[in-house]
Amino acid sequence: MPVTFIVIVLLVAGVLWWYRRKMIKEAADDVADVLGRVRGSVRRERLEGKDEMSALTAIDDPVVAAATLILAIATDGPRMTREREQALREVIAGVAAQSRADDAIDYAKWAAGRVDDAGVVIDTLTPLLRERLDEAEKSDLITMARRVATAGGQPLPMLETRMHKLRQKLGVVVH
């Protein structure tokens, strides 16, 4: 009888040891899985940020930069209205040939659509524009941005804030 009792105790101990080992392994696998998902999420966010910014940092043409900047300000909040798009086409056509203006607007739509915040667009593109535009052209850019943003009536909620930031970043005297 004692031998049977010892065998049963050893079997129970073996089963408990096996079950506990299995539970620890599952817990460790769960922790590793969660850490892997977190690491993947961080990598994706980092890549999305780079992808988002590369659309802007690839711009080296002042006309494309101006079109993208104006478009971002004009669509900060609401969608682009027909009136604003028409005003954008008019102001860009006033500073570039029609085919170049169309290309600049197409790229601007794509690039501005990849970045959610007009402030980021202003921060990224104004160094190029500040370097390449003279004072009169900077003033014209500010006027064009306001004209497009106010086309179609309803003023944009963040317009004055964005215009102030644009003037500051371009180095235009701010009153």
Side-chain angles (χ1 to χ4, degrees), residues 23-156:
M23 297 306 289
I24 290 172
K25 183 186 180 317
E26 286 178 11
D29 289 346
D30 288 346
V31 168
D33 192 36
V34 167
L35 289 175
R37 276 188 260 135
V38 167
R39 191 170 59 217
S41 153
V42 169
R43 284 182 183 161
R44 272 191 306 281
E45 284 181 23
R46 195 177 318 137
L47 287 175
E48 286 172 2
K50 286 181 182 178
D51 183 37
E52 186 175 278
M53 294 308 293
S54 68
L56 298 177
T57 57
I59 296 173
D60 61 355
D61 180 5
V63 173
V64 175
T68 305
L69 183 72
I70 293 169
L71 183 81
I73 291 171
T75 58
D76 192 20
R79 291 181 341 116
M80 183 70 145
T81 64
R82 234 179 260 161
E83 293 85 5
R84 287 189 181 115
E85 185 171 349
Q86 183 59 37
L88 176 65
R89 289 190 179 286
E90 289 171 7
V91 297
I92 297 300
V95 295
Q98 187 61 43
S99 64
R100 186 171 174 211
D102 289 340
D103 291 343
I105 291 169
D106 289 342
Y107 188 88
K109 285 180 178 179
W110 176 79
R114 300 182 71 78
V115 182
D116 294 336
D117 185 13
V120 172
V121 177
I122 292 170
D123 290 339
T124 306
L125 295 179
T126 51
L128 169 73
L129 294 168
R130 184 177 55 240
E131 179 183 298
R132 300 245 184 118
L133 302 179
D134 62 28
E135 294 305 313
E137 291 169 330
K138 290 175 187 176
S139 179
D140 289 345
L141 175 64
I142 292 167
T143 303
M144 292 183 330
R146 182 173 296 285
R147 177 177 168 210
V148 172
T150 57
Q154 185 78 16
L156 300 169

